[in-house]
């Protein structure tokens, strides 16, 4: 079992930055690929970024590429999402998730999910 708790969301003006954190419980955190997904009001949840268990591989949605950066610290059982140059369309609830695969963009391959943290970007 892996329990995930996100933090770091909030209200920011367009062009600003936020850093999300996701703290994981359990001793097997380093065995999981981690992903960030987001769900905007009235829309389906979508992939944002993912990182392999070692941190050597990452993947990003085209909509966030070049602005967001995912990283992890296996010693602290934490994954991060650095979000720069934020836009109003980045407004969403952001979820972190853990997958037993090497690296996945597919929600169905993620076994554990956090409760989400709200990010609101004002124009």
């Amino acid at each position: 079992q892996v329990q995930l708790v996100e933090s770091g969301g909030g209200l920011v003006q367009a062009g600003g930055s936020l850093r999300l954190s996701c703290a994981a419980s359990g001793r097997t955190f380093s065995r999981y690929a981690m992903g960030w997904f987001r769900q905007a009001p009235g829309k389906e949840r979508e992939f944002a970024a993912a990182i392999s268990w070692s941190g050597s591989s990452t993947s990003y949605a085209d909509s966030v590429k070049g602005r967001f950066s995912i990283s992890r610290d296996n010693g602290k059982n934490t994954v991060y999402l650095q979000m720069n140059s934020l836009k109003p369309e980045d407004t969403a609830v952001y979820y972190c998730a853990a997958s037993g695969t090497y690296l996945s963009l597919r929600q169905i391959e993620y076994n554990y999910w956090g409760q989400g943290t709200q990010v609101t970007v004002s124009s």
Side-chain angles (χ1 to χ4, degrees):
Q1 286 280 353
V2 177
Q3 292 185 326
L4 305 172
V5 179
E6 303 97 333
S7 62
L11 174 64
V12 63
Q13 289 188 333
S17 298
L18 279 176
R19 188 194 197 200
L20 304 183
S21 298
C22 175
S25 65
R27 295 176 294 175
T28 59
F29 173 75
S30 61
R31 298 181 185 177
Y32 290 90
M34 298 298 295
W36 285 97
F37 294 80
R38 64 185 186 180
Q39 187 168 20
K43 296 187 177 181
E44 293 187 351
R45 189 164 58 188
E46 65 177 11
F47 168 77
I51 188 166
S52 62
W53 63 270
S54 66
S56 60
S57 299
T58 58
S59 183
Y60 298 92
D62 288 343
S63 58
V64 307
K65 199 172 294 182
R67 300 186 298 121
F68 290 13
S69 178
I70 188 171
S71 61
R72 67 190 297 162
D73 185 336
N74 287 344
K76 295 182 178 179
N77 281 12
T78 302
V79 62
Y80 305 97
L81 186 67
Q82 178 66 44
M83 306 186 294
N84 299 326
S85 302
L86 283 162
K87 305 175 181 180
E89 51 264 43
D90 295 318
T91 295
V93 177
Y94 284 72
Y95 300 89
C96 73
S99 172
T101 65
Y102 173 72
L103 181 71
S104 178
L105 282 62
R106 303 175 63 205
Q107 296 185 52
I108 196 172
E109 293 183 339
Y110 283 81
N111 310 98
Y112 304 102
W113 292 81
Q115 83 289 347
T117 185
Q118 176 70 48
V119 172
T120 303
V121 184
S122 63
S123 58

